[in-house]
Amino acid sequence: MRKFSKPLILCLFLCATGYAGNVQLLPPDQPSGYIARLLLNETPFPSENGWISEKNSKAAMLSILCVVDARVRHIPVGYKQEQVAAIRTDNAIDVITAGGEKGQCDGFYKDTQGQPVMVPRIGERIAYLEKLANKGTPGRFARLFSYAQGIASAYVRGGLQEADRFAAIHQIGSIYVTGRAYSWMTGQDYYHPGGNFVKIPNDMQGLLGGNRFFTLKKLEK
């Protein structure tokens, strides 16, 4: 009788029990792992409030990444980065953690040693979703995890690899705007970041994954 090695026996056991290891989320101490957790935390999964479809949640992830990138690299003429991003930096992690635990991205902040961290509830939710993603044949949960990690890794390697759906918006109603999105909030009409932020309406795909995206009013030169 052929003898199997211990690693092979373990592999066969995991396959038989449905633990397929479908997703590989990078550690949170790596920039792409940290950004991926932001994208996963800010978008709904099946059975959660705001869930519409896999396509919608993926679009929301990309749009959130576009907001972060816009705050780093595309400050509109007439604005200072501090006005838009509450910080002056060329680093996406600085933008995400600006303002502390209750800052720009609720629950994402830097600890006393300056390391980017998350509040426990975020880690617990993602760990729960990751467990579901790794059950059985890869499905929607696994695809959402892979997408979040994929675009986060691509962004860290060389910037956004896909088109910014909001970049070409120049007018909303009678208001001239800068294009691109510079903020997002829970998709309820009573939430608005105030100031010169302008709501991107539904017919311009401004509502994605339960989040409302906002561009900026164009300023005179």
Side-chain angles (χ1 to χ4, degrees):
M1 179 182 289
R2 182 181 178 184
K3 292 184 178 180
F4 295 110
S5 64
K6 287 184 178 179
L8 180 57
I9 292 173
L10 176 61
C11 179
L12 292 172
F13 170 75
L14 293 175
C15 291
T17 54
Y19 186 89
N22 300 324
V23 298
Q24 293 182 326
L25 197 60
L26 294 176
D29 60 355
Q30 294 185 21
S32 59
Y34 194 73
I35 293 172
R37 282 164 174 78
L38 171 72
L39 305 181
L40 291 165
N41 183 65
E42 295 294 318
T43 50
F45 275 62
S47 80
E48 293 184 327
N49 289 335
W51 169 258
I52 295 175
S53 67
E54 180 183 333
K55 180 180 178 181
N56 190 269
S57 281
K58 286 180 177 177
M61 290 181 189
L62 178 58
S63 297
I64 288 169
L65 188 57
C66 288
V67 171
V68 173
D69 186 67
R71 289 185 174 195
V72 175
R73 306 177 196 282
H74 301 289
I75 303 303
V77 173
Y79 287 90
K80 294 181 179 178
Q81 188 182 28
E82 295 91 326
Q83 293 174 301
V84 177
I87 192 171
R88 187 170 183 80
T89 181
D90 59 359
N91 186 291
I93 302 299
D94 290 342
V95 166
I96 293 170
T97 56
E101 185 175 332
K102 293 291 184 182
Q104 303 227 60
C105 300
D106 189 15
F108 289 80
Y109 63 104
K110 288 186 177 179
D111 63 17
T112 54
Q113 283 74 48
Q115 298 302 310
V117 295
M118 298 163 287
V119 296
R121 62 174 167 76
I122 294 174
E124 291 165 3
R125 173 177 177 262
I126 291 175
Y128 173 72
L129 295 173
E130 188 174 12
K131 183 179 178 181
L132 296 178
N134 278 321
K135 272 190 173 180
T137 303
R140 292 180 297 185
F141 284 71
R143 290 194 294 269
L144 287 166
F145 264 77
S146 295
Y147 183 78
Q149 187 59 73
I151 61 173
S153 295
Y155 178 72
V156 170
R157 280 197 306 271
L160 289 173
Q161 301 298 305
E162 298 186 45
D164 179 348
R165 72 185 59 241
F166 303 129
I169 298 176
H170 300 301
Q171 187 172 356
I172 296 176
S174 61
I175 303 173
Y176 289 97
V177 297
T178 62
R180 296 192 175 87
Y182 288 88
S183 180
W184 78 89
M185 303 190 79
T186 301
Q188 300 291 338
D189 286 342
Y190 45 82
Y191 288 125
H192 191 285
N196 287 337
F197 286 101
V198 180
K199 182 176 77 173
I200 301 175
N202 291 7
D203 60 3
M204 293 181 175
Q205 297 184 294
L207 182 65
L208 293 167
N211 292 295
R212 171 67 65 189
F213 291 85
F214 299 83
T215 186
L216 282 166
K217 181 179 179 182
K218 192 171 185 178
L219 300 179
E220 298 294 333
K221 290 184 180 179

